[in-house]
Amino acid sequence: MRFLRTNNMDILHTSLDVLLPLVSIIFFFLFYPFYVLIKLVMFLYKQFLFENVAGKVVLITGASSGIGEHLAYEYAKKGAYLALVARREDRLDIVAETSRQLGSGDVIIIPGDVAEVEDCKEFIDETIRHFGKLDHLINNAGVTQTVVFEDYFHIQAANPIMDINFWGSTYITYFAIPHLRKSKGKVIVITSGAANIALPVASVYSASKAALLRFFETLRIELNPDIKITIVFPGVVATDMTTPRCIEHYGSDFIFTEPVSRCAKGIFNGICRGETYIEEPSWMKWIYVMKNVCPEIVEYVLNYIYIRSLKPFFKRD
């Protein structure tokens, strides 16, 4: 009996090995053009469905600088109420005051660390106590680290990257879900281009961002249609985080660096259009296409860049 079952499974998998490639090719030739047309129509349709965020409550983690700070300003200009979270209270005070001046009717700051589960619970509880609801959760808090994996002096030094970048977003989302379900709200998670492209000298950072991508794609299915989830892929943005040793001599003039205010504006517009994925700058999506279509070429180019340009900055001391 077991032999027959194993034999049937072998036949099934052999059949799928032959049939699925044929079906996929037929799909791409016959149906994919219609799929692209539908996507184009939906894109044009969304241009006229810009969400009005005036009076909506938005919680932003990592709001003391960078993308989080400038997203706060974009929401403030449109009259949203803000709950700003970060570890640096002095910086949060400055961002909060600027947000009020830009048009936000009510701003609170909640200092704390997203890597601490109790802090994450307090972020949500304090927001609900003050505003009575939550409409948008912006999971932006994150840190970067540029190091060749084998050069870690202690492998445990990689733990904070995952704790902040992945678990920080996971903890706070867990506590936010009941409130977002009531408001039919949104979760916006800031990942990175490194979630889709293997980034040399940033293996653990890339892994933490890839974990975010897969986690929130799964969560999107579980929470649909009550809560919408937008996943953002920023490129190299001029923030406090974008000064690894390999490019620090370029500073903010690094050729692919995007001004943080421009990046935040593009992300905000995508959120309000209801996009499920946002690449900022938008040309990055074509790199992802190249990676999926011809991964060997992209890997070769990245390896060349690493050997020629990056490796000299990361020699063992």
Side-chain angles (χ1 to χ4, degrees):
M1 190 71 178
R2 182 177 298 177
F3 173 78
L4 290 175
R5 185 180 304 162
T6 302
N7 191 45
N8 288 337
M9 290 178 65
D10 288 342
I11 294 172
L12 172 63
H13 286 289
T14 301
S15 301
L16 290 175
D17 286 340
V18 174
L19 290 175
L20 274 183
L22 293 175
V23 172
S24 299
I25 291 171
I26 293 172
F27 169 80
F28 280 114
F29 275 101
L30 296 182
F31 298 104
Y32 191 72
F34 295 101
Y35 170 77
V36 173
L37 179 62
I38 292 171
K39 291 279 287 185
L40 177 61
V41 171
M42 290 300 298
F43 173 79
L44 295 174
Y45 180 66
K46 286 177 180 179
Q47 307 309 304
F48 302 97
L49 289 178
F50 205 79
E51 181 181 1
N52 180 10
V53 298
K56 291 195 173 181
V57 176
V58 182
L59 191 159
I60 305 176
T61 67
S64 59
S65 64
I67 293 174
E69 172 187 356
H70 287 268
L71 276 175
Y73 299 156
E74 293 299 323
Y75 273 100
K77 292 173 188 175
K78 300 299 182 180
Y81 300 148
L82 302 175
L84 305 179
V85 168
R87 290 177 291 188
R88 296 180 291 177
E89 186 173 358
D90 56 337
R91 279 291 307 161
L92 283 179
D93 284 329
I94 296 172
V95 177
E97 182 55 34
T98 304
S99 298
R100 294 185 189 101
Q101 294 173 5
L102 288 172
S104 180
D106 196 356
V107 184
I108 62 171
I109 66 169
I110 318 173
D113 187 348
V114 295
E116 300 293 333
V117 66
E118 290 304 321
D119 283 8
C120 288
K121 184 176 186 303
E122 180 60 23
F123 299 151
I124 299 299
D125 290 345
E126 181 61 28
T127 300
I128 298 302
R129 277 195 296 268
H130 185 87
F131 294 107
K133 65 172 184 173
L134 176 63
D135 296 292
H136 288 192
L137 170 63
I138 314 289
N139 283 315
N140 169 72
V143 292
T144 189
Q145 186 182 61
T146 49
V147 60
V148 177
F149 181 70
E150 63 180 316
D151 287 351
Y152 277 109
F153 289 109
H154 301 286
I155 187 57
Q156 294 91 338
N159 290 349
I161 303 300
M162 191 63 72
D163 289 341
I164 296 171
N165 291 0
F166 177 70
W167 287 114
S169 294
T170 305
Y171 294 155
I172 194 169
T173 300
Y174 174 80
F175 295 115
I177 284 174
H179 308 287
L180 290 170
R181 198 184 294 277
K182 289 179 183 177
S183 64
K184 300 293 183 181
K186 292 181 178 179
V187 176
I188 297 90
V189 56
I190 310 297
T191 60
S192 167
N196 280 322
I197 299 293
L199 191 63
V201 305
S203 54
V204 177
Y205 171 78
S206 298
S208 70
K209 294 300 186 176
L212 277 180
L213 170 60
R214 292 295 173 249
F215 174 76
F216 280 98
E217 283 183 331
T218 303
L219 208 60
R220 178 189 288 147
I221 297 170
E222 293 181 0
L223 299 178
N224 184 61
D226 296 336
I227 300 172
K228 303 300 181 183
I229 294 180
T230 295
I231 301 174
V232 183
F233 304 94
V236 181
V237 183
T239 71
D240 296 346
M241 293 174 60
T242 54
T243 54
R245 284 181 289 162
C246 57
I247 63 171
E248 63 185 359
H249 63 294
Y250 292 111
S252 60
D253 294 328
F254 180 58
I255 189 170
F256 293 117
T257 300
E258 182 182 29
V260 65
S261 58
R262 184 181 188 275
C263 177
K265 189 174 186 65
I267 293 171
F268 176 76
N269 289 338
I271 293 169
C272 291
R273 286 195 303 267
E275 301 289 352
T276 53
Y277 297 99
I278 300 171
E279 294 87 2
E280 184 55 42
S282 60
W283 55 260
M284 285 180 53
K285 69 180 65 176
W286 297 107
I287 297 178
Y288 306 149
V289 171
M290 286 286 291
K291 190 254 184 183
N292 290 327
V293 173
C294 43
E296 297 86 359
I297 294 176
V298 174
E299 185 173 328
Y300 174 82
V301 170
L302 288 170
N303 185 255
Y304 180 85
I305 292 171
Y306 170 65
I307 297 297
R308 296 286 182 174
S309 302
L310 301 181
K311 196 172 183 178
F313 290 94
F314 292 90
K315 290 180 178 178
R316 290 179 184 268
D317 295 329

